[in-house]
């Protein structure tokens, strides 16, 4: 199973990619920085300088319905911000 789940393609991360060569990914919760670095280098053919990770816990929600109070939560995710070497770029839009 791959460590990388999907890239983060938002306006903020696109600006980070253009200015600072930083790219964001949603990764497996059990992945460490070395596994993330190896997966990005193997998948996109770039050299990774630095990896930063963030764990986001689930958001708890509740609704009031006719049948009572419904409790739920979203999934927990792990994000990784990857700094790529100068001159290397990752093009997420080439496969469209």
């Amino acid at each position: 199973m791959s460590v990388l789940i999907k890239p983060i393609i938002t306006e903020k991360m696109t600006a980070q990619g253009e200015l600072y060569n930083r790219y964001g990914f949603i990764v497996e919760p059990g992945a460490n920085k070395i596994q993330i670095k190896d997966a990005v280098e193997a998948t996109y053919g770039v050299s990774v300088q630095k990896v930063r990770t963030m764990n986001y816990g689930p958001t708890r929600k509740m609704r009031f319905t006719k049948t009572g109070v419904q409790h739920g939560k979203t999934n927990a995710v792990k994000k990784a911000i990857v700094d790529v070497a100068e001159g290397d770029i990752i093009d997420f839009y080439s496969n469209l």
Side-chain angles (χ1 to χ4, degrees):
M1 181 160 56
S2 177
V3 173
L4 302 176
I5 297 174
K6 65 180 181 177
I8 301 171
I9 301 175
T10 59
E11 188 174 343
K12 186 174 182 179
M13 282 310 303
T14 303
Q16 292 278 320
E18 292 172 358
L19 294 175
Y20 305 112
N21 286 340
R22 287 185 192 140
Y23 301 96
F25 296 94
I26 303 289
V27 296
E28 289 291 326
N32 60 24
K33 293 181 180 184
I34 297 169
Q35 292 171 336
I36 295 168
K37 177 182 176 183
D38 293 340
V40 171
E41 287 178 345
T43 305
Y44 296 103
V46 295
S47 59
V48 175
Q49 298 289 331
K50 186 177 185 179
V51 177
R52 288 174 291 212
T53 59
M54 297 168 268
N55 284 311
Y56 283 92
T59 303
R60 305 202 184 277
K61 299 180 179 183
M62 64 187 228
R63 289 189 297 210
F64 298 98
T65 63
K66 286 191 274 186
T67 59
V69 179
Q70 301 291 322
H71 295 279
K73 65 178 181 165
T74 60
N75 293 332
V77 294
K78 185 172 190 176
K79 294 182 183 181
I81 306 299
V82 176
D83 286 358
V84 177
E86 191 70 34
D88 289 344
I89 60 168
I90 296 175
D91 188 17
F92 295 128
Y93 304 106
S94 64
N95 296 341
L96 296 178

